Structure formats: C-alpha cells, structure tokens
Amino acid sequence: MSTSLDNTAGRDGSLVAGVPRSRIIVASTVGTSIEFYDFYIYATAAVSVFPHLFFPKGNGTTALLASLATFGLAFVARPVGSILFGHFGDRIGRKATLVGSLLTMGIATFLIGILPTYHQVGLLAPALLALMRFCQGLGLGGEWSGAALLATETAEKGKRAWAAMWPQLGAPIGFFLANGLFLIITLFLNHDNADPDLGSAFLTWGWRIPFLLSAVMVIIGLYVRLKLEETPVFAQAVAEGKKVKTPLAEVFRTSWRQLIIGTFVMLATYTLFYIMTTWVLSHGTGKTPAQGGTGAGFQYSDFLVLQLVAVLFFAAAIPVSGRLADRHGRRITLLVITGTIMVFGLTFGILLAPEGMSEPRMLLFLIIGMILMGFTFGPMSAVLPELFPTNVRYTGSGIAYNVSSILGAAVAPFIATWLATTYGVGWVGVYLLVAAALTFVALLVMHETKDRHLEEV
C-alpha cells in the first residue's frame, strides 16, 4: 500500500519532509507573485506605453490592437512552456523546474526594461519586444503548474484546496505591486495617459523602472526556492520507479479527456480576468463617445486607483473559495460561481453604459468582477492537478491551464476591444457569458476530485 502523504508531516502539520510548511507557503506564493508581477507590468505597458514607443504608426486604435497582439503572444508561448518545463518537472522534479521557470521569465522581463524603441532602431524594436514577450510566456507556462504542485503535493488531508490557494494569491499580489508601482511613477512624473508626451520623463525612462526592479524580486524568489526539498508525492513516484520517459506522449495517451475538461474548466476564469484587467484598463481610460471614442474617459492614474481597490476584493475572495472547495467540493463550488459569472455578463451594458458613467459605478463593476474572479480562480490550483496522475501531473495540469490561456486570455482583450468598438460594451458581457457557459458544461462533465489520492499513478 502506498505511503500516505500525511506520514511526511509532523503531528501538527508544520513539517513536510523536513521543510517547514511556512517555507512551502512562501515559496509557492512569492514565486507566482513575481511571475504575475512580470506579466502584469507588461499588460499595463501594453495599453499605456508600447502603442506610443513600439507601434507608433497608424491611428491610436491600430497601435493599441498591435500592442495587445504582442500581449497575446505570450499566451501562445505558454503551452510550449508547459510542455518544456512539464517534461523536466515530471522527469527531474518540481524544485529544479520551478527555479528554471522563474529565471526564464525574470531575465526576459528585465531585458524589456532596457530595449530600444521604434524611434531608435525601427522595426527591430517591436521584434525584440515580441521575442521577450514570448520568453515571458515560456516562463509562466512552467511556473503556475509547478507552484500548484508544490502546494497540493505537500497539503494536509482535507485541506488541499486551502493549501493550493496560496500560489493563487500571487495573482492579486503581483497585480497590486505592478499597478501600484506604475501609479506611483505616473503620479511622480506627471504623466497624462490621455495626452501622452513622447518626450516626457515617463515615456523616456520612467516606464522602464518596474521592468528593471523585477530583478530584485527574482533574486528573492530564487533564495526561497533553492531552500526547498522535493515534494514527497514525486519522491515516492521516483522511489517506486514510476517516472515516464516522455510525459507529453503519456499524458495524451492516458489523460486526453482530462486535458480537454481542464482546458474548458479554466476558460471562464481566464476570460473574466483579462477582461477585468487588460481590456477594462483600455476601455476605462479611452476617449468617451463625445470625444469620438467608446471608452469611459477616466484619467489613467484615477482608473489605476479603482483597479487597486478592486483587486483587494480579488485577494480576499481566494481563501474563502479555498475553504468552500474543501468543504463542499470543487465541482459544486465552481458550478455556482460560473453560473454567477454568466449573470454578471448580462450586466455589462448597464454598469458600463457611457451615459452617467461615474467612479462609483465603475468601482462597483470592478469589485463585482474581481470578487467573482477570486472565487473562480482560488480552487483551480487544486482542481487541475487533481485531474492528473503523479507521473504526468506537471505536464497535464500545465497544458490544460495554458491552452486555456490561448482560448480565454490571449484573445480576450482583442475580441473585447473589437466588440466594444463595433457593437458596444454590452456585447463584451455576452462574450464573457458564452465563455462561462462552456466552462459550465465542462464542470458538468467533470467528476469531483476532492477526495482523490495524489499518489495515484
């Protein structure tokens, strides 16, 4: 009979294979915080910086769409990263692979901070930006699944969703750090996103600061992760000779159904999040209909403050969802939340109507969306790993998570921008409703995973 995971922990659950549980929590949370910080500073710059410095030709909408297209490039890279890092995660181990993914994304993010602009080197500038964005996607493609496995494969019995929610907290933490830093810099340098000055301090050098500071955060993350031990679940699989030579081939051979289900289970989460962060930033700071646009007309700094307030609700909802998923099960919890997201999609035309738009109404919209995001995102780092056996878990959960990023996140800002410009903001909500409906169907098909043993191969 397999050795129980509980046997690796102390009686109070404070130790896992000789490593303090607090260190595991910090390592899984700090890593994803850094990774999402890197990702979000690009998302913010894709709206406020890159259209002016890397894609300046044509009208403003064309430049914005070109910038958002490079933003989506990372999502194409993420499944590649999940295959690459998943191979080593299932073959070599979780610890070494997590270090590699962190370095990949950290170095790419730092290099974005020193790239020349279009006005300096022409077309080479957007080409280099696209390459670095691709590398960011590779790193994040291997990061999330590794952090999720680090949390789930060391969890106490009956508390797996609670343990798994810690890496999920990296999303709001990274978002808060990235956008908070951009807010401070724009206020300090008096940058006006509605009327940008290409010779201003912000667009000359200020925007580079968040990218360069990522190097400090990467060093901290590496320090914490290098002090970890391998997870006991993976160590047991190694000891029993249950590793596979080609995890990618094995996961498609034995777990193709779980790959499809996991991909669509994540679809609503991704679509909601990138509508509530990337698209809504461009919409909220865009020109109003009276000015010839379709946006809400908020000042860039004012809108960032609204987003920073709303993201606190995102963070608060994540641990609540972890508790609910442990108590009631993953499937029923996510079915209720996904149904609520579908209803939320029907409110876009009302809450985002240009007539009478105000800060309180926009803040209400952001808070509702971010609370729902926290509830749907929180259990995912338990659900996706639980769908797959140990010897292909890194690869399988990573592929499902990151293929969903292409279907849900990569195209979400682009489609939402086109829908809002062409048909109005109400259709952005319809788009979210359709994505949530597909997730709802996937959840109906999915079996409950709450009581599954992770030692299964």
Side-chain angles (χ1 to χ4, degrees), residues 287-357:
K287 294 180 180 180
T288 64
Q291 299 169 323
T294 60
F298 287 97
Q299 289 292 321
Y300 178 72
S301 57
D302 293 339
F303 195 81
L304 277 184
V305 171
L306 298 180
Q307 279 196 307
L308 290 173
V309 172
V311 83
L312 296 176
F313 290 84
F314 175 22
I318 288 176
V320 176
S321 68
R323 291 294 193 196
L324 290 174
D326 274 335
R327 176 173 297 180
H328 303 292
R330 287 63 160 131
R331 187 169 174 268
I332 186 62
T333 300
L334 288 172
L335 280 170
V336 172
I337 295 166
T338 304
T340 308
I341 291 173
M342 294 167 67
V343 175
F344 175 59
L346 297 175
T347 68
F348 276 47
I350 299 172
L351 293 176
L352 295 180
E355 299 81 12
M357 175 54 69

Side-chain angles (χ1 to χ4, degrees), residues 1 23 183 243 258 356 360:
M1 188 172 183
R23 186 182 299 170
L183 175 62
K243 290 194 301 181
Q258 291 91 323

